Amino acid sequence: MMVEPRSPSAMSAARAYRAALARLVRGEGRHPDHQGRIVRISPASVAREAGKSRNPLYTTHRDILDEIEAAAQGPGPAKDLAGKLRELEAEIALLRADARRHAEERRGLASQNLALFHRARTAEGQLASLQRRAAMAPAAEPSATRRR
């Protein structure tokens, strides 16, 4: 049962209340108290979003008050908040498990890197030793079997 307000100001207020309700249902409030937040839909929050008093909702715009009550009962951003919270907590748990696994992998790779670095340094030392010995060894005489 929708009762149409007769005065232009009442019609303008009704449009403002309905637009505010639609924004809150979508989770797109413009009022500073509502921006970036999930707001519970109530006559007070709709009136605040519309920039109007809430008294006309109870006196002149009972049909809009019924719409607000229906919207408060239906699905919306505030209703989905608990589910979203559980979802995010599960994601955090997975990310923490991944972070622990990556830390373990990093420690293993650091150990491998250290072992390879040690082997490379040992090989470089052996090569330098062989090069010093080769430089100190008497030069081999040319082979007699070689002909021109």
Side-chain angles (χ1 to χ4, degrees), residues 82-110:
K84 185 69 170 171
L85 182 61
R86 283 191 300 275
E87 200 177 289
L88 291 173
E89 286 172 343
E91 185 177 349
I92 288 170
L94 289 174
L95 291 172
R96 285 184 176 153
D98 284 346
R100 283 190 297 275
R101 184 174 48 82
H102 291 312
E104 290 171 14
E105 288 174 357
R106 189 181 71 218
R107 281 191 295 273
L109 290 171

Side-chain angles (χ1 to χ4, degrees), residues 78-146:
K79 301 284 187 211
D80 298 337
L81 189 57
K84 185 69 170 171
L85 182 61
R86 283 191 300 275
E87 200 177 289
L88 291 173
E89 286 172 343
E91 185 177 349
I92 288 170
L94 289 174
L95 291 172
R96 285 184 176 153
D98 284 346
R100 283 190 297 275
R101 184 174 48 82
H102 291 312
E104 290 171 14
E105 288 174 357
R106 189 181 71 218
R107 281 191 295 273
L109 290 171
S111 292
Q112 282 182 335
N113 192 25
L114 187 58
L116 290 172
F117 180 70
H118 177 69
R119 286 176 56 193
R121 293 291 302 258
T122 303
E124 286 174 352
Q126 290 173 347
L127 178 63
S129 175
L130 289 173
Q131 286 174 338
R132 278 191 306 272
R133 274 193 260 161
M136 289 184 190
E141 295 196 20
S143 156
T145 58
R146 199 168 166 208

Side-chain angles (χ1 to χ4, degrees), residues 24-85:
L24 291 179
V25 166
R26 290 190 311 265
E28 300 172 356
R30 294 181 189 160
H31 189 274
D33 291 347
H34 301 163
Q35 286 180 340
R37 296 189 179 119
I38 296 176
V39 179
R40 187 175 67 88
I41 297 175
S42 67
S45 63
V46 171
R48 188 179 310 115
E49 177 68 22
K52 305 278 183 190
S53 171
R54 111 186 117 151
N55 289 338
L57 287 172
Y58 295 103
T59 57
T60 310
H61 304 288
R62 294 290 302 169
D63 56 329
I64 297 174
L65 190 61
D66 293 337
E67 292 173 26
I68 292 171
E69 289 174 17
Q73 299 302 320
K79 301 284 187 211
D80 298 337
L81 189 57
K84 185 69 170 171
L85 182 61

